[in-house]
C-alpha cells in the first residue's frame, strides 16, 4: 500500500518554514526520509507557503511531491474563507507543477470550482 506523509507548514516572519508545532520543516522531512514512503505532501498549508515548503522538501528528499493548499484562516468556531479565486489557485498550482508536484488537490477554503480550474489548467498546459 502506498504511504503518503503530509506536513502542514507555515512561513515565519524571519522566512523560515516550520511545521505548525514550530519544528523546522527540514527536521520533519529528515525524520521520515529514510522510511519507505511514496509521496510527501504539503497539506493544510497556506497557498503562499507551498513554494518555500517544496524547496525544502526537495533539498532533503527525492520522492514524489504533492500538495493540497488552503486559502483563508481558522477563527474559532469556523473557517474564514480566503479571497483566493479559482483562477489564482490554478495559477499557483502551475508553479507547483513546475517545482515537481505530481498530486495537487485543495484543502480548507477551496471547493469544486477550484478543482475544476485545476483541471482546466492541466488541460491547457503544454505537455
Ligand atoms: Zn486545510
Amino acid at each position: 500500500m502506498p504511504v503518503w506523509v503530509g506536513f502542514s507548514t507555515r512561513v515565519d516572519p524571519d522566512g523560515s518554514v516550520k511545521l505548525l508545532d514550530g519544528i523546522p520543516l527540514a527536521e520533519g522531512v529528515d525524520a521520515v526520509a529514510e522510511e519507505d514512503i511514496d509521496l510527501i505532501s504539503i497539506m493544510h498549508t497556506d497557498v503562499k507557503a507551498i513554494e518555500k515548503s517544496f524547496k525544502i522538501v526537495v533539498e532533503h528528499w527525492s520522492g514524489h511531491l504533492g500538495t493540497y493548499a488552503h486559502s483563508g484562516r481558522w477563527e474559532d468556531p469556523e473557517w474564514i474563507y480566503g479571497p483566493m479565486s479559482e483562477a489564482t489557485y490554478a495559477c499557483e498550482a502551475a508553479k507547483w507543477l513546475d517545482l515537481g508536484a505530481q498530486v495537487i488537490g485543495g484543502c480548507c477554503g477551496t471547493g469544486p470550482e477550484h478543482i475544476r480550474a485545476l483541471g482546466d489548467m492541466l488541460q491547457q498546459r503544454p505537455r
Side-chain angles (χ1 to χ4, degrees), residues 38-120:
D38 298 289
L39 179 138
I40 290 181
S41 177
I42 301 299
M43 43 73 71
H44 186 65
T45 294
D46 193 277
V47 167
K48 294 183 287 296
I50 301 299
E51 203 170 326
K52 277 192 129 183
S53 297
F54 272 178
K55 288 178 179 171
I56 289 171
V57 171
V58 300
E59 283 173 14
H60 293 259
W61 192 72
S62 59
H64 300 292
L65 266 183
T67 185
Y68 41 108
H70 68 210
S71 174
R73 66 191 184 284
W74 175 258
E75 277 184 23
D76 205 17
E78 63 188 346
W79 189 261
I80 306 299
Y81 285 82
M84 179 71 57
S85 74
E86 294 82 7
T88 301
Y89 194 77
C91 185
E92 292 295 321
K95 295 180 202 167
W96 305 333
L97 289 171
D98 291 341
L99 291 170
Q102 295 171 299
V103 174
I104 299 177
C107 198
C108 311
T110 66
E113 299 78 17
H114 292 83
I115 303 305
R116 190 170 299 114
L118 284 175
D120 291 346

